[in-house]
């Protein structure tokens, strides 16, 4: 039992001061952002459009954990990559000491799940997933430590028809969102044999420029020379520009695949440029790689990227399964939508202002009936004068204020005041409201 003692006079005097001494507020972790309601509408607008367009092409949702065993990412993404070497949030399970990692991307987890559940046993699968990814990068505009992706994978398709399908699907998504100025870059990084030959040629080439290398590049020269092509080291750019290009020495099957992709894209009217330097930052790719890039976001202009990864299933212990996929960076999409003036219409149709007890009950019933009719309605909460409530109605963005005082409640009537157009205020019976709001909504929307 806790002994109850009376506080001393000194303690009692100090109590108010103690109450005022608030602890310091805790802030979000650097590089990990809140999405506040004013911005979340834009996120939802993008997510709804993505889900709808992916669904139109037969892609179905699949959800995988945010935490996976660390070796999954090391094996899939590659030991000598920025992501695995520098950027993973890795920790030991506190009970059994197993090394776990917050997913830096979704493809590895999806392939793990596909193998574990034998997902492609009967037929190939088109799937998508969405959610947070974690990379310990230096935060800046468009680059964060927790960021979000919409990730799409076609599992069990050898292409190039499915490679083209995914690119055409993205072009449709940009159109659906009213975005332009996103250009497409494609490349082929070939198959394992020519990649091995290219690797040897790259090492021979870069050995002649070793004096320009920083520490990372020294190490990567023999471990993963392809990554040197990604280097931002300014001194190295001329050597990178002069490096042998894999796209010039593709095997016949890889060349046929790449030509096929280009013909399909041209047939769909999707413009592209071939960027022989496009290699992507993850090691699992072969043949097709692509990125959608905008100039409007500064240095972090790649809004989506992906490609083919025919060897990954086997690398992770599964049966050989060709596959292709991509991911869209949601933060960059939202930045681009803001820059392009995309405005989602996520505001309520009506805000109900009510003064008086009977009016409050009547307002709640009216709101429920309007919601039954599919309308979105906010009921004033927390009281307030008529004037205060009208200000809130305006700030809510609603097109109409529905006004109920005691007189209206007694007469079973509601006053309808347009907030975004010059229309007259009218008084209606509850049963007339839904049709009137919908009709007037179209009026004011067209204005
Ligand atoms: P990724 O190129 O690493 O590919 O990432 C895809 C997209 O995620 C990027 O184009 C970018 O928009 C966004 N992104 C990446 N890192 C950050 C960051 N730190 N902050 C904000 N946005 C970021 C992949 O992740 C592959 N798994 C894509 C894929 C799926 N390939 C085949 N299937």
């Amino acid at each position: 039992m806790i002994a109850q003692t009376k506080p001393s006079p000194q303690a009692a005097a100090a109590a108010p001061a103690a109450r005022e001494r608030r602890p310091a507020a805790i802030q979000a972790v650097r590089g990990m952002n809140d999405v506040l309601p004013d911005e979340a509408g834009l996120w939802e607008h993008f997510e709804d459009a993505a889900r709808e367009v992916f669904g139109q092409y037969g892609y179905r949702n699949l959800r995988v954990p945010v935490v996976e065993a660390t070796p999954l990412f090391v094996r899939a993404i590659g030991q000598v990559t920025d992501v695995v070497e520098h950027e993973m949030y890795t920790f030991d399970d506190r009970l059994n000491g197993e090394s776990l990692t917050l997913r830096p991307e979704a493809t590895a987890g999806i392939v793990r799940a596909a193998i574990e559940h034998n997902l492609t046993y009967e037929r190939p699968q088109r799937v998508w997933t969405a959610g947070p990814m974690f990379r310990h990068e230096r935060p800046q505009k468009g680059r964060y430590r927790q960021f979000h992706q919409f990730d799409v994978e076609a599992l069990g398709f050898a292409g190039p028809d499915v490679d083209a399908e995914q690119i055409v699907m993205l072009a449709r998504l940009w159109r659906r969102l009213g975005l332009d100025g996103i250009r497409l870059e494609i490349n082929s990084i070939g198959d394992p044999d020519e990649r091995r030959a290219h690797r040897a040629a790259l090492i021979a080439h870069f050995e002649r420029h070793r004096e320009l290398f920083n520490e990372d590049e020294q190490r990567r020269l023999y471990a993963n020379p392809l990554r040197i092509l990604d280097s931002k080291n300014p001194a190295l750019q001329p050597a990178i520009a002069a490096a042998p290009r894999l796209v010039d020495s593709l095997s016949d099957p890889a060349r046929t695949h790449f030509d096929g992709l280009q013909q399909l894209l041209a047939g769909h009217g999707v413009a592209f440029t071939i960027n022989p330097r496009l290699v992507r930052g993850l090691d699992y790719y072969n043949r097709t790689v692509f990125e959608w890039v905008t100039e409007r976001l500064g240095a972090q202009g790649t809004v989506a990227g992906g490609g083919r990864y025919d060897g990954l299933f086997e690398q992770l212990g599964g049966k050989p399964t060709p596959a292709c996929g991509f991911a869209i960076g949601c933060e960059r999409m939202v930045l681009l939508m803001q820059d392009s003036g995309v405005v989602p219409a996520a505001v309520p149709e009506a805000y109900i202002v009510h003064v008086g007890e009977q009016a409050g009950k009547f307002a709640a019933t009216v709101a429920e009936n309007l919601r039954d009719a599919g309308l979105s309605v906010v009921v004033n909460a927390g009281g307030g004068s008529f004037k205060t409530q009208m200000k809130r109605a305006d700030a809510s963005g609603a097109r109409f204020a529905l006004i109920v005082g005691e007189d209206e409640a007694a007469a079973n009537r509601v006053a309808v005041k347009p907030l975004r157009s010059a229309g007259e205020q009218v008084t209606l019976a509850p049963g007339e409201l839904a049709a009137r709001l919908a009709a007037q909504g179209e009026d004011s929307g067209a204005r």
Side-chain angles (χ1 to χ4, degrees), residues 78-87 199 202-203 206 210 213-232 236 280-281 283:
Q79 180 75 60
V80 187
T81 55
D82 280 346
V83 172
V84 169
E85 282 187 326
H86 303 300
E87 297 171 1
R199 192 187 131 95
L202 274 183
I203 293 174
F206 282 120
R210 282 187 78 152
F213 281 15
N214 63 29
E215 208 179 298
D216 251 5
E217 289 146 5
Q218 294 282 359
R219 218 167 17 81
R220 287 177 176 191
L221 176 58
Y222 298 105
N224 195 349
L226 209 62
R227 287 280 77 80
I228 295 177
L229 298 175
D230 274 346
S231 165
K232 302 279 177 284
L236 214 54
R280 314 260 313 125
D283 276 356

Side-chain angles (χ1 to χ4, degrees), residues 56 148 168 213 286 331 342 373 389 417 435:
Q56 284 185 297
H148 297 76
V168 168
F213 281 15
N286 69 310
E331 282 78 3
V342 175
Q389 293 193 35
K417 181 176 166 56

Side-chain angles (χ1 to χ4, degrees), residues 138-159:
R138 196 170 51 78
Q140 54 180 278
K141 182 183 171 191
R143 192 207 272 169
Y144 311 100
R145 290 181 174 170
Q146 175 177 305
F147 61 98
H148 297 76
Q149 285 184 345
F150 254 76
D151 180 283
V152 172
E153 313 290 355
L155 310 174
F157 297 90

Side-chain angles (χ1 to χ4, degrees), residues 25-105:
I26 294 171
Q27 303 207 317
V29 175
R30 182 164 138 80
M32 307 203 177
N33 301 316
D34 302 308
V35 178
L36 301 180
D38 276 349
E39 200 181 88
L42 216 47
W43 282 73
E44 288 179 319
H45 183 61
F46 161 67
E47 290 163 0
D48 289 348
R51 272 191 288 265
E52 192 182 306
V53 171
F54 300 162
Q56 284 185 297
Y57 287 78
Y59 286 80
R60 298 183 303 152
N61 188 214
L62 171 154
R63 300 175 188 220
V64 288
V66 169
V67 176
E68 299 271 3
T70 304
L72 173 70
F73 299 117
V74 178
R75 268 159 76 180
I77 295 170
Q79 180 75 60
V80 187
T81 55
D82 280 346
V83 172
V84 169
E85 282 187 326
H86 303 300
E87 297 171 1
M88 294 208 301
Y89 282 87
T90 297
F91 56 95
D92 290 341
D93 183 292
R94 61 170 72 188
L95 275 187
N96 64 12
E98 182 187 9
S99 179
L100 302 174
T101 292
L102 298 185
R103 64 179 180 195
E105 60 106 51

Side-chain angles (χ1 to χ4, degrees), residues 425-445:
Q425 178 168 324
V426 293
T427 303
L428 300 174
E432 299 168 317
L433 283 173
R436 189 58 175 257
L437 292 192
Q440 289 207 7
E442 279 161 24
D443 277 6
S444 58

Side-chain angles (χ1 to χ4, degrees), residues 350-353 359 362-363 365-367 370 400-405 407-417 425-433 436-437:
Y351 187 104
I352 308 196
V353 166
F362 182 51
T365 310
V366 166
L370 288 174
F400 298 94
L402 304 184
I403 303 164
V404 192
D407 290 351
E408 281 86 1
N412 198 32
R413 310 284 286 176
V414 177
V416 181
K417 181 176 166 56
Q425 178 168 324
V426 293
T427 303
L428 300 174
E432 299 168 317
L433 283 173
R436 189 58 175 257
L437 292 192

Side-chain angles (χ1 to χ4, degrees), residues 83 104-108 135 137 142-149 151-153 280-282 284-285 291-292 302-309 324-332:
V83 172
E105 60 106 51
T107 311
R135 296 184 194 175
E137 299 196 77
R143 192 207 272 169
Y144 311 100
R145 290 181 174 170
Q146 175 177 305
F147 61 98
H148 297 76
Q149 285 184 345
D151 180 283
V152 172
E153 313 290 355
R280 314 260 313 125
L282 315 163
Y284 48 62
Y285 293 109
E291 286 186 353
W292 288 88
T302 306
V303 292
R308 182 154 282 286
Y309 51 93
C324 183
F326 66 83
I328 308 173
C330 300
E331 282 78 3
R332 294 184 193 179

